[in-house]
PDB file of all heavy atoms in Angstrom:
ATOM      1  N   THR A   1      51.160 -83.783 125.158  1.00 62.00           N
ATOM      2  CA  THR A   1      50.721 -82.762 126.117  1.00 62.00           C
ATOM      3  C   THR A   1      49.544 -83.297 126.916  1.00 62.00           C
ATOM      4  O   THR A   1      48.787 -84.149 126.452  1.00 62.00           O
ATOM      5  CB  THR A   1      50.291 -81.452 125.428  1.00 62.00           C
ATOM      6  OG1 THR A   1      49.148 -81.710 124.608  1.00 62.00           O
ATOM      7  CG2 THR A   1      51.408 -80.869 124.596  1.00 62.00           C
ATOM      8  N   GLU A   2      49.393 -82.783 128.091  1.00 63.00           N
ATOM      9  CA  GLU A   2      48.226 -83.104 128.910  1.00 63.00           C
ATOM     10  C   GLU A   2      47.663 -81.792 129.415  1.00 63.00           C
ATOM     11  O   GLU A   2      48.357 -81.011 130.071  1.00 63.00           O
ATOM     12  CB  GLU A   2      48.622 -83.990 130.094  1.00 63.00           C
ATOM     13  CG  GLU A   2      47.450 -84.337 130.973  1.00 63.00           C
ATOM     14  CD  GLU A   2      47.832 -85.220 132.137  1.00 63.00           C
ATOM     15  OE1 GLU A   2      48.848 -85.908 132.062  1.00 63.00           O
ATOM     16  OE2 GLU A   2      47.101 -85.192 133.141  1.00 63.00           O
ATOM     17  N   GLU A   3      46.431 -81.552 129.053  1.00 61.00           N
ATOM     18  CA  GLU A   3      45.798 -80.316 129.494  1.00 61.00           C
ATOM     19  C   GLU A   3      44.810 -80.650 130.603  1.00 61.00           C
ATOM     20  O   GLU A   3      44.002 -81.555 130.475  1.00 61.00           O
ATOM     21  CB  GLU A   3      45.072 -79.634 128.337  1.00 61.00           C
ATOM     22  CG  GLU A   3      46.029 -79.162 127.272  1.00 61.00           C
ATOM     23  CD  GLU A   3      45.559 -79.525 125.879  1.00 61.00           C
ATOM     24  OE1 GLU A   3      44.544 -80.221 125.752  1.00 61.00           O
ATOM     25  OE2 GLU A   3      46.233 -79.135 124.937  1.00 61.00           O
ATOM     26  N   THR A   4      44.890 -79.922 131.685  1.00 63.00           N
ATOM     27  CA  THR A   4      43.965 -80.126 132.789  1.00 63.00           C
ATOM     28  C   THR A   4      43.266 -78.811 133.054  1.00 63.00           C
ATOM     29  O   THR A   4      43.757 -77.965 133.783  1.00 63.00           O
ATOM     30  CB  THR A   4      44.694 -80.618 134.052  1.00 63.00           C
ATOM     31  OG1 THR A   4      45.745 -79.704 134.352  1.00 63.00           O
ATOM     32  CG2 THR A   4      45.264 -82.001 133.868  1.00 63.00           C
ATOM     33  N   MET A   5      42.142 -78.649 132.414  1.00 64.00           N
ATOM     34  CA  MET A   5      41.372 -77.419 132.554  1.00 64.00           C
ATOM     35  C   MET A   5      40.257 -77.708 133.549  1.00 64.00           C
ATOM     36  O   MET A   5      39.153 -78.082 133.175  1.00 64.00           O
ATOM     37  CB  MET A   5      40.828 -76.976 131.206  1.00 64.00           C
ATOM     38  CG  MET A   5      41.905 -76.664 130.222  1.00 64.00           C
ATOM     39  SD  MET A   5      41.183 -76.307 128.638  1.00 64.00           S
ATOM     40  CE  MET A   5      42.643 -76.075 127.661  1.00 64.00           C
ATOM     41  N   GLN A   6      40.598 -77.550 134.822  1.00 72.00           N
ATOM     42  CA  GLN A   6      39.662 -77.841 135.888  1.00 72.00           C
ATOM     43  C   GLN A   6      39.653 -76.674 136.851  1.00 72.00           C
ATOM     44  O   GLN A   6      40.472 -75.783 136.769  1.00 72.00           O
ATOM     45  CB  GLN A   6      40.070 -79.120 136.615  1.00 72.00           C
ATOM     46  CG  GLN A   6      40.140 -80.322 135.714  1.00 72.00           C
ATOM     47  CD  GLN A   6      40.684 -81.543 136.447  1.00 72.00           C
ATOM     48  OE1 GLN A   6      40.882 -81.528 137.652  1.00 72.00           O
ATOM     49  NE2 GLN A   6      40.933 -82.593 135.703  1.00 72.00           N
ATOM     50  N   GLY A   7      38.726 -76.691 137.757  1.00 81.00           N
ATOM     51  CA  GLY A   7      38.666 -75.666 138.780  1.00 81.00           C
ATOM     52  C   GLY A   7      37.645 -74.587 138.471  1.00 81.00           C
ATOM     53  O   GLY A   7      37.068 -74.535 137.382  1.00 81.00           O
ATOM     54  N   PRO A   8      37.424 -73.703 139.401  1.00 85.00           N
ATOM     55  CA  PRO A   8      36.373 -72.694 139.295  1.00 85.00           C
ATOM     56  C   PRO A   8      36.509 -71.782 138.065  1.00 85.00           C
ATOM     57  O   PRO A   8      35.502 -71.456 137.430  1.00 85.00           O
ATOM     58  CB  PRO A   8      36.498 -71.871 140.578  1.00 85.00           C
ATOM     59  CG  PRO A   8      37.312 -72.696 141.509  1.00 85.00           C
ATOM     60  CD  PRO A   8      38.127 -73.620 140.685  1.00 85.00           C
ATOM     61  N   LEU A   9      37.712 -71.365 137.732  1.00 82.00           N
ATOM     62  CA  LEU A   9      37.891 -70.472 136.580  1.00 82.00           C
ATOM     63  C   LEU A   9      37.381 -71.121 135.302  1.00 82.00           C
ATOM     64  O   LEU A   9      36.599 -70.541 134.556  1.00 82.00           O
ATOM     65  CB  LEU A   9      39.356 -70.089 136.418  1.00 82.00           C
ATOM     66  CG  LEU A   9      39.683 -69.317 135.134  1.00 82.00           C
ATOM     67  CD1 LEU A   9      38.983 -67.959 135.120  1.00 82.00           C
ATOM     68  CD2 LEU A   9      41.165 -69.162 134.958  1.00 82.00           C
ATOM     69  N   TRP A  10      37.827 -72.352 135.041  1.00 77.00           N
ATOM     70  CA  TRP A  10      37.428 -73.033 133.806  1.00 77.00           C
ATOM     71  C   TRP A  10      35.949 -73.376 133.802  1.00 77.00           C
ATOM     72  O   TRP A  10      35.298 -73.332 132.757  1.00 77.00           O
ATOM     73  CB  TRP A  10      38.286 -74.277 133.586  1.00 77.00           C
ATOM     74  CG  TRP A  10      39.653 -73.906 133.158  1.00 77.00           C
ATOM     75  CD1 TRP A  10      40.793 -73.952 133.902  1.00 77.00           C
ATOM     76  CD2 TRP A  10      40.043 -73.385 131.878  1.00 77.00           C
ATOM     77  NE1 TRP A  10      41.863 -73.503 133.164  1.00 77.00           N
ATOM     78  CE2 TRP A  10      41.424 -73.153 131.921  1.00 77.00           C
ATOM     79  CE3 TRP A  10      39.357 -73.100 130.701  1.00 77.00           C
ATOM     80  CZ2 TRP A  10      42.133 -72.642 130.844  1.00 77.00           C
ATOM     81  CZ3 TRP A  10      40.072 -72.592 129.624  1.00 77.00           C
ATOM     82  CH2 TRP A  10      41.438 -72.371 129.706  1.00 77.00           C
ATOM     83  N   ILE A  11      35.383 -73.701 134.959  1.00 81.00           N
ATOM     84  CA  ILE A  11      33.946 -73.995 135.038  1.00 81.00           C
ATOM     85  C   ILE A  11      33.144 -72.757 134.663  1.00 81.00           C
ATOM     86  O   ILE A  11      32.200 -72.822 133.874  1.00 81.00           O
ATOM     87  CB  ILE A  11      33.571 -74.509 136.444  1.00 81.00           C
ATOM     88  CG1 ILE A  11      34.193 -75.902 136.648  1.00 81.00           C
ATOM     89  CG2 ILE A  11      32.058 -74.554 136.622  1.00 81.00           C
ATOM     90  CD1 ILE A  11      34.103 -76.416 138.069  1.00 81.00           C
ATOM     91  N   GLU A  12      33.542 -71.609 135.186  1.00 85.00           N
ATOM     92  CA  GLU A  12      32.836 -70.362 134.854  1.00 85.00           C
ATOM     93  C   GLU A  12      33.020 -69.987 133.383  1.00 85.00           C
ATOM     94  O   GLU A  12      32.086 -69.541 132.732  1.00 85.00           O
ATOM     95  CB  GLU A  12      33.296 -69.223 135.772  1.00 85.00           C
ATOM     96  CG  GLU A  12      32.809 -69.361 137.189  1.00 85.00           C
ATOM     97  CD  GLU A  12      31.288 -69.508 137.281  1.00 85.00           C
ATOM     98  OE1 GLU A  12      30.545 -68.727 136.639  1.00 85.00           O
ATOM     99  OE2 GLU A  12      30.841 -70.427 137.989  1.00 85.00           O
ATOM    100  N   LEU A  13      34.228 -70.166 132.864  1.00 81.00           N
ATOM    101  CA  LEU A  13      34.457 -69.877 131.450  1.00 81.00           C
ATOM    102  C   LEU A  13      33.603 -70.774 130.563  1.00 81.00           C
ATOM    103  O   LEU A  13      33.035 -70.325 129.560  1.00 81.00           O
ATOM    104  CB  LEU A  13      35.931 -70.049 131.104  1.00 81.00           C
ATOM    105  CG  LEU A  13      36.884 -68.978 131.602  1.00 81.00           C
ATOM    106  CD1 LEU A  13      38.319 -69.386 131.311  1.00 81.00           C
ATOM    107  CD2 LEU A  13      36.569 -67.640 130.963  1.00 81.00           C
ATOM    108  N   ALA A  14      33.494 -72.046 130.933  1.00 81.00           N
ATOM    109  CA  ALA A  14      32.700 -72.990 130.143  1.00 81.00           C
ATOM    110  C   ALA A  14      31.218 -72.637 130.179  1.00 81.00           C
ATOM    111  O   ALA A  14      30.511 -72.823 129.190  1.00 81.00           O
ATOM    112  CB  ALA A  14      32.921 -74.410 130.648  1.00 81.00           C
ATOM    113  N   LYS A  15      30.753 -72.104 131.296  1.00 88.00           N
ATOM    114  CA  LYS A  15      29.350 -71.676 131.370  1.00 88.00           C
ATOM    115  C   LYS A  15      29.090 -70.523 130.412  1.00 88.00           C
ATOM    116  O   LYS A  15      28.054 -70.477 129.755  1.00 88.00           O
ATOM    117  CB  LYS A  15      28.997 -71.241 132.799  1.00 88.00           C
ATOM    118  CG  LYS A  15      28.862 -72.377 133.773  1.00 88.00           C
ATOM    119  CD  LYS A  15      28.552 -71.827 135.154  1.00 88.00           C
ATOM    120  CE  LYS A  15      28.544 -72.899 136.206  1.00 88.00           C
ATOM    121  NZ  LYS A  15      28.323 -72.334 137.554  1.00 88.00           N
ATOM    122  N   GLN A  16      30.028 -69.596 130.327  1.00 90.00           N
ATOM    123  CA  GLN A  16      29.884 -68.433 129.456  1.00 90.00           C
ATOM    124  C   GLN A  16      30.109 -68.792 127.999  1.00 90.00           C
ATOM    125  O   GLN A  16      29.512 -68.197 127.106  1.00 90.00           O
ATOM    126  CB  GLN A  16      30.869 -67.335 129.870  1.00 90.00           C
ATOM    127  CG  GLN A  16      30.643 -66.812 131.264  1.00 90.00           C
ATOM    128  CD  GLN A  16      31.796 -65.936 131.724  1.00 90.00           C
ATOM    129  OE1 GLN A  16      32.492 -65.347 130.933  1.00 90.00           O
ATOM    130  NE2 GLN A  16      31.995 -65.881 133.028  1.00 90.00           N
ATOM    131  N   ASP A  17      31.008 -69.740 127.747  1.00 88.00           N
ATOM    132  CA  ASP A  17      31.404 -70.088 126.380  1.00 88.00           C
ATOM    133  C   ASP A  17      31.783 -71.566 126.336  1.00 88.00           C
ATOM    134  O   ASP A  17      32.922 -71.918 126.605  1.00 88.00           O
ATOM    135  CB  ASP A  17      32.587 -69.211 125.951  1.00 88.00           C
ATOM    136  CG  ASP A  17      33.004 -69.446 124.522  1.00 88.00           C
ATOM    137  OD1 ASP A  17      32.403 -70.298 123.839  1.00 88.00           O
ATOM    138  OD2 ASP A  17      33.946 -68.780 124.086  1.00 88.00           O
ATOM    139  N   PRO A  18      30.839 -72.440 125.977  1.00 84.00           N
ATOM    140  CA  PRO A  18      31.104 -73.880 125.999  1.00 84.00           C
ATOM    141  C   PRO A  18      32.263 -74.327 125.100  1.00 84.00           C
ATOM    142  O   PRO A  18      32.817 -75.390 125.321  1.00 84.00           O
ATOM    143  CB  PRO A  18      29.789 -74.497 125.522  1.00 84.00           C
ATOM    144  CG  PRO A  18      28.761 -73.464 125.782  1.00 84.00           C
ATOM    145  CD  PRO A  18      29.469 -72.142 125.642  1.00 84.00           C
ATOM    146  N   GLU A  19      32.654 -73.553 124.116  1.00 88.00           N
ATOM    147  CA  GLU A  19      33.733 -73.942 123.215  1.00 88.00           C
ATOM    148  C   GLU A  19      35.107 -73.449 123.655  1.00 88.00           C
ATOM    149  O   GLU A  19      36.091 -73.604 122.934  1.00 88.00           O
ATOM    150  CB  GLU A  19      33.431 -73.444 121.799  1.00 88.00           C
ATOM    151  CG  GLU A  19      32.215 -74.131 121.197  1.00 88.00           C
ATOM    152  CD  GLU A  19      31.999 -73.729 119.759  1.00 88.00           C
ATOM    153  OE1 GLU A  19      32.756 -72.897 119.235  1.00 88.00           O
ATOM    154  OE2 GLU A  19      31.072 -74.265 119.155  1.00 88.00           O
ATOM    155  N   VAL A  20      35.209 -72.884 124.853  1.00 80.00           N
ATOM    156  CA  VAL A  20      36.474 -72.316 125.320  1.00 80.00           C
ATOM    157  C   VAL A  20      37.581 -73.372 125.389  1.00 80.00           C
ATOM    158  O   VAL A  20      38.724 -73.094 125.048  1.00 80.00           O
ATOM    159  CB  VAL A  20      36.315 -71.575 126.659  1.00 80.00           C
ATOM    160  CG1 VAL A  20      36.045 -72.527 127.807  1.00 80.00           C
ATOM    161  CG2 VAL A  20      37.534 -70.719 126.952  1.00 80.00           C
ATOM    162  N   PHE A  21      37.241 -74.582 125.791  1.00 79.00           N
ATOM    163  CA  PHE A  21      38.262 -75.632 125.876  1.00 79.00           C
ATOM    164  C   PHE A  21      38.805 -75.975 124.499  1.00 79.00           C
ATOM    165  O   PHE A  21      40.000 -76.084 124.291  1.00 79.00           O
ATOM    166  CB  PHE A  21      37.685 -76.898 126.527  1.00 79.00           C
ATOM    167  CG  PHE A  21      37.224 -76.690 127.937  1.00 79.00           C
ATOM    168  CD1 PHE A  21      35.889 -76.826 128.265  1.00 79.00           C
ATOM    169  CD2 PHE A  21      38.125 -76.367 128.940  1.00 79.00           C
ATOM    170  CE1 PHE A  21      35.463 -76.642 129.566  1.00 79.00           C
ATOM    171  CE2 PHE A  21      37.707 -76.187 130.240  1.00 79.00           C
ATOM    172  CZ  PHE A  21      36.370 -76.322 130.553  1.00 79.00           C
ATOM    173  N   TRP A  22      37.900 -76.160 123.552  1.00 83.00           N
ATOM    174  CA  TRP A  22      38.296 -76.508 122.182  1.00 83.00           C
ATOM    175  C   TRP A  22      39.162 -75.411 121.578  1.00 83.00           C
ATOM    176  O   TRP A  22      40.206 -75.677 121.002  1.00 83.00           O
ATOM    177  CB  TRP A  22      37.047 -76.749 121.323  1.00 83.00           C
ATOM    178  CG  TRP A  22      37.377 -77.055 119.916  1.00 83.00           C
ATOM    179  CD1 TRP A  22      37.753 -78.264 119.402  1.00 83.00           C
ATOM    180  CD2 TRP A  22      37.394 -76.146 118.821  1.00 83.00           C
ATOM    181  NE1 TRP A  22      37.992 -78.167 118.057  1.00 83.00           N
ATOM    182  CE2 TRP A  22      37.781 -76.858 117.677  1.00 83.00           C
ATOM    183  CE3 TRP A  22      37.111 -74.783 118.693  1.00 83.00           C
ATOM    184  CZ2 TRP A  22      37.904 -76.266 116.431  1.00 83.00           C
ATOM    185  CZ3 TRP A  22      37.234 -74.199 117.440  1.00 83.00           C
ATOM    186  CH2 TRP A  22      37.618 -74.944 116.344  1.00 83.00           C
ATOM    187  N   ARG A  23      38.735 -74.142 121.716  1.00 88.00           N
ATOM    188  CA  ARG A  23      39.506 -73.029 121.149  1.00 88.00           C
ATOM    189  C   ARG A  23      40.869 -72.896 121.805  1.00 88.00           C
ATOM    190  O   ARG A  23      41.869 -72.611 121.137  1.00 88.00           O
ATOM    191  CB  ARG A  23      38.724 -71.724 121.254  1.00 88.00           C
ATOM    192  CG  ARG A  23      37.723 -71.533 120.147  1.00 88.00           C
ATOM    193  CD  ARG A  23      37.265 -70.092 119.989  1.00 88.00           C
ATOM    194  NE  ARG A  23      37.144 -69.373 121.246  1.00 88.00           N
ATOM    195  CZ  ARG A  23      36.082 -69.460 122.056  1.00 88.00           C
ATOM    196  NH1 ARG A  23      35.069 -70.214 121.754  1.00 88.00           N
ATOM    197  NH2 ARG A  23      36.055 -68.780 123.175  1.00 88.00           N
ATOM    198  N   THR A  24      40.949 -73.104 123.109  1.00 83.00           N
ATOM    199  CA  THR A  24      42.224 -73.036 123.806  1.00 83.00           C
ATOM    200  C   THR A  24      43.164 -74.116 123.282  1.00 83.00           C
ATOM    201  O   THR A  24      44.347 -73.855 123.034  1.00 83.00           O
ATOM    202  CB  THR A  24      42.023 -73.197 125.327  1.00 83.00           C
ATOM    203  OG1 THR A  24      41.153 -72.156 125.788  1.00 83.00           O
ATOM    204  CG2 THR A  24      43.326 -73.133 126.079  1.00 83.00           C
ATOM    205  N   HIS A  25      42.648 -75.315 123.072  1.00 82.00           N
ATOM    206  CA  HIS A  25      43.454 -76.401 122.518  1.00 82.00           C
ATOM    207  C   HIS A  25      43.911 -76.073 121.097  1.00 82.00           C
ATOM    208  O   HIS A  25      45.080 -76.282 120.743  1.00 82.00           O
ATOM    209  CB  HIS A  25      42.642 -77.696 122.520  1.00 82.00           C
ATOM    210  CG  HIS A  25      43.395 -78.870 122.002  1.00 82.00           C
ATOM    211  ND1 HIS A  25      44.368 -79.514 122.737  1.00 82.00           N
ATOM    212  CD2 HIS A  25      43.337 -79.509 120.819  1.00 82.00           C
ATOM    213  CE1 HIS A  25      44.865 -80.499 122.016  1.00 82.00           C
ATOM    214  NE2 HIS A  25      44.262 -80.524 120.855  1.00 82.00           N
ATOM    215  N   GLU A  26      43.015 -75.537 120.275  1.00 89.00           N
ATOM    216  CA  GLU A  26      43.367 -75.158 118.898  1.00 89.00           C
ATOM    217  C   GLU A  26      44.429 -74.063 118.880  1.00 89.00           C
ATOM    218  O   GLU A  26      45.336 -74.083 118.038  1.00 89.00           O
ATOM    219  CB  GLU A  26      42.124 -74.710 118.131  1.00 89.00           C
ATOM    220  CG  GLU A  26      41.155 -75.837 117.837  1.00 89.00           C
ATOM    221  CD  GLU A  26      41.768 -76.910 116.952  1.00 89.00           C
ATOM    222  OE1 GLU A  26      42.260 -76.579 115.867  1.00 89.00           O
ATOM    223  OE2 GLU A  26      41.742 -78.089 117.366  1.00 89.00           O
ATOM    224  N   ASP A  27      44.325 -73.100 119.796  1.00 91.00           N
ATOM    225  CA  ASP A  27      45.342 -72.043 119.893  1.00 91.00           C
ATOM    226  C   ASP A  27      46.705 -72.624 120.250  1.00 91.00           C
ATOM    227  O   ASP A  27      47.734 -72.215 119.705  1.00 91.00           O
ATOM    228  CB  ASP A  27      44.937 -70.991 120.934  1.00 91.00           C
ATOM    229  CG  ASP A  27      43.764 -70.137 120.486  1.00 91.00           C
ATOM    230  OD1 ASP A  27      43.407 -70.164 119.285  1.00 91.00           O
ATOM    231  OD2 ASP A  27      43.192 -69.444 121.351  1.00 91.00           O
ATOM    232  N   LEU A  28      46.712 -73.588 121.173  1.00 86.00           N
ATOM    233  CA  LEU A  28      47.963 -74.244 121.549  1.00 86.00           C
ATOM    234  C   LEU A  28      48.580 -74.955 120.350  1.00 86.00           C
ATOM    235  O   LEU A  28      49.778 -74.809 120.074  1.00 86.00           O
ATOM    236  CB  LEU A  28      47.720 -75.250 122.681  1.00 86.00           C
ATOM    237  CG  LEU A  28      48.892 -76.173 123.010  1.00 86.00           C
ATOM    238  CD1 LEU A  28      50.073 -75.391 123.566  1.00 86.00           C
ATOM    239  CD2 LEU A  28      48.457 -77.259 123.973  1.00 86.00           C
ATOM    240  N   LEU A  29      47.779 -75.715 119.614  1.00 86.00           N
ATOM    241  CA  LEU A  29      48.290 -76.429 118.446  1.00 86.00           C
ATOM    242  C   LEU A  29      48.819 -75.469 117.381  1.00 86.00           C
ATOM    243  O   LEU A  29      49.868 -75.715 116.779  1.00 86.00           O
ATOM    244  CB  LEU A  29      47.208 -77.328 117.852  1.00 86.00           C
ATOM    245  CG  LEU A  29      46.768 -78.495 118.731  1.00 86.00           C
ATOM    246  CD1 LEU A  29      45.665 -79.283 118.023  1.00 86.00           C
ATOM    247  CD2 LEU A  29      47.926 -79.392 119.099  1.00 86.00           C
ATOM    248  N   ALA A  30      48.114 -74.369 117.155  1.00 91.00           N
ATOM    249  CA  ALA A  30      48.558 -73.385 116.160  1.00 91.00           C
ATOM    250  C   ALA A  30      49.891 -72.757 116.580  1.00 91.00           C
ATOM    251  O   ALA A  30      50.788 -72.564 115.756  1.00 91.00           O
ATOM    252  CB  ALA A  30      47.493 -72.308 115.969  1.00 91.00           C
ATOM    253  N   ALA A  31      50.040 -72.450 117.868  1.00 91.00           N
ATOM    254  CA  ALA A  31      51.289 -71.859 118.358  1.00 91.00           C
ATOM    255  C   ALA A  31      52.443 -72.843 118.213  1.00 91.00           C
ATOM    256  O   ALA A  31      53.548 -72.463 117.808  1.00 91.00           O
ATOM    257  CB  ALA A  31      51.128 -71.426 119.815  1.00 91.00           C
ATOM    258  N   LEU A  32      52.201 -74.116 118.530  1.00 87.00           N
ATOM    259  CA  LEU A  32      53.244 -75.132 118.377  1.00 87.00           C
ATOM    260  C   LEU A  32      53.640 -75.304 116.915  1.00 87.00           C
ATOM    261  O   LEU A  32      54.824 -75.424 116.591  1.00 87.00           O
ATOM    262  CB  LEU A  32      52.778 -76.473 118.944  1.00 87.00           C
ATOM    263  CG  LEU A  32      52.666 -76.545 120.467  1.00 87.00           C
ATOM    264  CD1 LEU A  32      51.986 -77.852 120.874  1.00 87.00           C
ATOM    265  CD2 LEU A  32      54.020 -76.408 121.121  1.00 87.00           C
TER     266      LEU A  32
END
């Protein structure tokens, strides 16, 4: 898989919650 979490939405989410990328990746792995 290749995840590209870029752009204004992800930048704002990362400002509010720096672990959002890690948790999103973990959720993907758990679902798979």
Side-chain angles (χ1 to χ4, degrees):
T1 64
E2 179 180 337
E3 294 134 355
T4 54
M5 298 175 183
Q6 301 174 8
L9 172 64
W10 286 106
I11 291 170
E12 289 305 313
L13 287 173
K15 287 178 186 176
Q16 298 169 26
D17 184 359
E19 294 185 358
V20 70
F21 298 116
W22 178 82
R23 277 198 324 278
T24 301
H25 181 76
E26 291 298 305
D27 290 347
L28 170 66
L29 294 179
L32 289 171

